[in-house]
């Protein structure tokens, strides 16, 4: 029973984080048809924002809000500076540009901040364990479940209940037609990047809460996970990203439980093997889409 | 005295070396229903895209109410009262019927948009029964009705329809043309591109015939539908 509860918590907390990241990737992909490789670095930006604000004595919850907003702004800035001048180019050019941005950010963090890891003090309500009877539960995991689900519900409400959210989905569905209905392309692209940055920021907070540090390449691992999640889920469909994120969480948690201790280090390899097998059966992901990327 | 709403003057559209539209001129007057007919690849869609600002104009000009349309972006067209129901319907497949309509009325203030939504749902009962259904799961005929309803959300002054009858069953085609006729009677100015020559000449006031990028015939729809050459080229087999 305890095992089951702990397992469920692992699945939901891992899956929730991956889902947020994958949704961020899918949001931008839906409009511009490319995977933004610098997405993970938005997490790092959020991490450093958090680090500097906490160092300056800003209370944790306030620092979190600002750091998440900073990631959103960084994403918008990234679009304005790097992607907008390339508007109309092939998605491949945008993809390669995003590699360059990611690299430039890594190097800048190394030079201007530090190549070493910076510790981030995590408050007690976000770290350590709590007990339910004889079940030990990590508070960071519980918090991450609460935060990721709240974010997912918030996002869902935004894109289904508000006019601007509906406009964003219309633009993702058919950008040309959406524009001819008066939906502004620049606004939608800015919104998509802003949202993806905020989602990366929220994911970063949960990621960091379980690790207590930020370093220049911090975004890389979660970025790779998010990529796997969108590939499992199918690109350009938010539902696919959501399912892909949780399925990846389920896979990782399962291997953590199934694999004998000495083989746990092969967990990622096992996950990737499963993924390959899965893609051989469903090359387009859980939800196959043939949405046309916009130019 | 009819006021010219759309004035296309010596328009040219090219894609690289390919000249899809060559030096065509035509007008649509206020309240008129004008049809452009022609075979596949004649340049009809290219002409419409040039009017909407979706394709660059290589030469010539397009004026709406005396204003140069090349100067306004695609996004600005609804504010001018211009809207197009595109070729192939292109409803937002993973949005619901209701959300498609809201997207169509996105330039309206919220309250106005709600009112129009209500009117559309009443006007199109088949959509009214399916407001929460994803548009991609509608039948072809239902999708066409939705595409037109979505275009009507803004209460357009000028409605452009690109092959609304394409790929629909005869009974549905009849319904689509009835709807176009009704809209015409309500005073909407319409530019209708069609390959269903017989039906479009029956509803239109005037017609232009396009072939290989040129306008080769023009006249009153009633006259063209009696024309022997048109009969041979477009109506003979049908
Ligand atoms: N984006 C494009 N790039 C290159 N050539 C194009 C493009 N769009 C259209 N064309 C070419 O321009 C010509 C006219 O095409 P257009 O779509 O305007 O014809 P149409 O009259 O609408 O045909 P249909 O009845 O089949 O829709 C065709 O030869 C087509 O191949
Ligand atoms: Mg066409």
């Amino acid at each position: 029973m305890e095992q089951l509860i702990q397992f469920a918590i692992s699945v939901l907390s891992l899956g929730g984080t991956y889902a947020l990241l994958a949704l961020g990737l899918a949001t931008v992909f839906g409009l511009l048809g490319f995977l933004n490789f610098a997405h993970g670095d938005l997490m790092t930006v959020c991490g450093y924002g958090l680090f500097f604000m906490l160092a300056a004595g800003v209370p944790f919850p306030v620092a979190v809000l600002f750091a998440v907003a900073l990631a959103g702004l960084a994403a918008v800035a990234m679009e304005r500076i790097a992607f907008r001048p390339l508007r109309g180019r092939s998605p491949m050019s945008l993809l390669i540009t995003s590699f360059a941005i990611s690299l430039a950010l890594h190097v800048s963090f190394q030079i201007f901040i530090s190549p070493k890891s910076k510790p981030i003090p995590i408050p007690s309500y976000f770290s350590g364990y709590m007990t339910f009877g004889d079940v030990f539960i990590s508070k960071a995991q519980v918090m991450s479940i609460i935060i990721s689900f709240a974010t997912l519900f918030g996002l869902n409400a935004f894109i289904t209940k508000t006019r601007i959210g509906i406009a964003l989905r219309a633009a993702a569905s058919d950008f040309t037609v959406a524009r001819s209905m008066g939906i502004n392309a620049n606004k939608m692209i800015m919104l998509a990047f802003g949202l993806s940055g905020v989602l990366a920021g929220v994911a970063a907070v949960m990621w960091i809460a379980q690790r207590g540090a930020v370093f220049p390449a911090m975004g890389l691992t979660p970025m790779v996970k998010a990529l796997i999640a969108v590939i499992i889920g199918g690109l350009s469909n938010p539902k696919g990203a959501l399912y892909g994120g949780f399925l990846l969480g389920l896979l990782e948690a399962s291997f953590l439980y199934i694999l004998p201790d000495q083989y746990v280090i092969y967990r990622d390899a096992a996950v990737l093997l499963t993924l390959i097998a899965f893609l051989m059966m469903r090359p387009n992901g859980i939800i196959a889409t043939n949405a046309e990327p916009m130019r | 005295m009819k006021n010219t709403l759309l004035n296309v003057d010596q328009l040219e559209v090219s894609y690289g070396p390919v000249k899809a539209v060559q030096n065509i001129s035509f007008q649509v007057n206020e309240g008129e229903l004008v049809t452009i007919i022609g075979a596949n690849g004649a340049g009809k869609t290219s002409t419409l895209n040039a009017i909407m600002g979706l394709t660059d104009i290589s030469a010539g000009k397009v004026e709406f109410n005396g204003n140069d349309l090349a100067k306004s972006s695609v996004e600005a067209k609804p504010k001018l009262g211009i809207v197009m129901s595109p070729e192939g319907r292109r409803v937002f497949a993973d949005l619901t019927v209701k959300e498609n309509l809201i997207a169509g009325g996105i330039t309206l203030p919220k309250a106005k948009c709600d009112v129009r939504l209500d009117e559309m749902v009443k006007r199109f009962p088949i959509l009214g029964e399916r407001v929460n259904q994803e548009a991609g799961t509608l039948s072809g005929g239902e999708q066409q009705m939705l595409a037109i309803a979505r275009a009507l959300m803004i209460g357009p002054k000028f409605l452009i329809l690109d092959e609304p009858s394409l790929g629909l069953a005869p009974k549905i085609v009849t319904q689509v043309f009835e709807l176009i006729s009704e809209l015409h009677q309500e005073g909407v100015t319409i530019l209708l591109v069609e390959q269903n020559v017989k039906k479009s000449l029956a509803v239109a006031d005037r017609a232009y015939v396009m072939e290989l990028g040129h306008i080769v015939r023009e006249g009153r729809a009633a006259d063209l539908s009696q024309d022997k050459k048109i009969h041979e080229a477009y109506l003979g087999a049908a």
Side-chain angles (χ1 to χ4, degrees), chain A residues 224-278:
Chain A
V224 171
K225 308 275 172 156
L227 271 181
I228 297 174
V230 289
I231 292 167
I232 302 176
L235 282 161
S236 81
N237 188 316
K239 265 185 218 142
L242 188 69
Y243 298 157
F246 280 103
L247 192 65
L248 180 62
L250 177 69
L251 276 179
E252 283 197 358
S254 305
F255 282 115
L256 205 59
Y257 279 79
I258 295 166
L259 292 175
D261 281 351
Q262 69 267 37
Y263 292 125
V264 162
I265 48 164
Y266 297 121
R267 181 183 69 167
D268 285 349
V271 169
L272 288 173
L273 273 180
T274 318
L275 174 72
I276 291 169
F278 174 81

Side-chain angles (χ1 to χ4, degrees), chain B residues 120-201:
Chain B
M120 286 307 135
V121 160
K122 288 204 183 93
R123 171 158 204 166
F124 298 90
I126 48 164
L127 299 180
E129 292 156 18
R130 295 169 174 78
V131 275
N132 292 318
Q133 190 175 327
E134 276 188 16
T137 65
L138 297 174
S139 74
E142 289 159 2
Q143 287 190 15
Q144 186 57 60
M145 290 302 179
L146 176 58
I148 296 177
R150 181 180 63 179
L152 291 176
M153 279 295 289
I154 61 164
K157 239 195 257 157
F158 185 53
L159 174 65
I160 302 175
L161 300 168
D162 195 351
E163 303 210 29
S165 78
L166 191 72
L168 301 180
K171 201 178 122 203
I172 313 291
V173 171
T174 306
Q175 284 177 16
V176 168
F177 277 97
E178 274 168 15
L179 171 65
I180 295 169
S181 241
E182 269 172 44
L183 293 170
H184 178 36
Q185 270 149 37
E186 288 163 24
V188 184
T189 308
I190 301 173
L191 178 57
L192 168 68
V193 156
E194 260 298 337
Q195 290 198 50
N196 190 325
V197 173
K198 195 174 174 189
K199 285 216 152 57
S200 44
L201 288 180

Side-chain angles (χ1 to χ4, degrees), chain B residues 15 18 20-21 38-47 87 162-163 193 195:
Chain B
Y15 305 102
V18 182
V21 175
N40 288 113
K44 306 178 299 294
T45 299
S46 303
T47 303
E87 184 171 16
D162 195 351
E163 303 210 29
V193 156
Q195 290 198 50

